[in-house]
């Protein structure tokens, strides 16, 4: 299944390691160090405020969507995948 994380970006739910709320990260030196080390594989999906950080096995995304919204989306069945299965693609 795929998860829409903002700005027309889809990631495989199997690849998602963590969805982190931006507010929780502000006071964490460990997370700040982690994000600095991953800066070469980081994508900012918004020009405005970042609400969450999505960590995958290959990429870190700064998302304009709230972590609660992304969680709800990850639990919903994907219509796109169902259509692909029906078409045999």
């Amino acid at each position: 299944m795929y998860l829409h994380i903002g700005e027309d970006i889809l990631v495989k739910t199997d690849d998602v390691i963590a969805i982190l709320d931006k507010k929780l990260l502000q006071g964490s030196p460990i997370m700040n160090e982690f994000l600095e080390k991953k800066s070469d594989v980081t994508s900012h999906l918004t020009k405005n405020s970042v609400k969450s950080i999505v960590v995958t096995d290959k990429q870190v995304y700064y998302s304009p969507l709230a972590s609660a919204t992304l969680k709800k989306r990850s639990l919903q069945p994907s219509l796109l995948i169902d259509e692909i299965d029906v078409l045999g693609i």
Side-chain angles (χ1 to χ4, degrees):
M1 180 171 22
Y2 288 86
L3 174 63
H4 175 260
I5 60 172
E7 297 298 319
D8 298 329
I9 302 295
L10 295 173
V11 295
K12 289 180 86 171
T13 53
D14 292 342
D15 294 343
V16 175
I17 296 169
I19 299 173
L20 308 167
D21 190 298
K22 179 67 174 167
K23 291 178 186 176
L24 297 174
L25 302 177
Q26 292 173 348
S28 174
I30 294 170
M31 283 308 301
N32 288 330
E33 180 182 345
F34 169 77
L35 293 173
E36 285 176 17
K37 288 183 179 181
K38 293 293 186 178
S39 63
D40 57 331
V41 292
T42 298
S43 295
H44 292 269
L45 303 180
T46 180
K47 295 176 186 170
N48 298 323
S49 65
V50 172
K51 294 185 180 175
S52 64
I53 298 171
V54 179
V55 180
T56 68
D57 56 348
K58 297 179 183 171
Q59 191 79 23
V60 175
Y61 298 95
Y62 287 81
S63 175
L65 303 174
S67 57
T69 300
L70 294 173
K71 179 183 177 186
K72 288 177 192 175
R73 288 182 179 186
S74 71
L75 299 174
Q76 294 176 348
S78 174
L79 295 177
L80 177 63
I81 298 303
D82 292 339
E83 291 172 10
I84 289 173
D85 288 340
V86 169
L87 296 174
I89 298 175

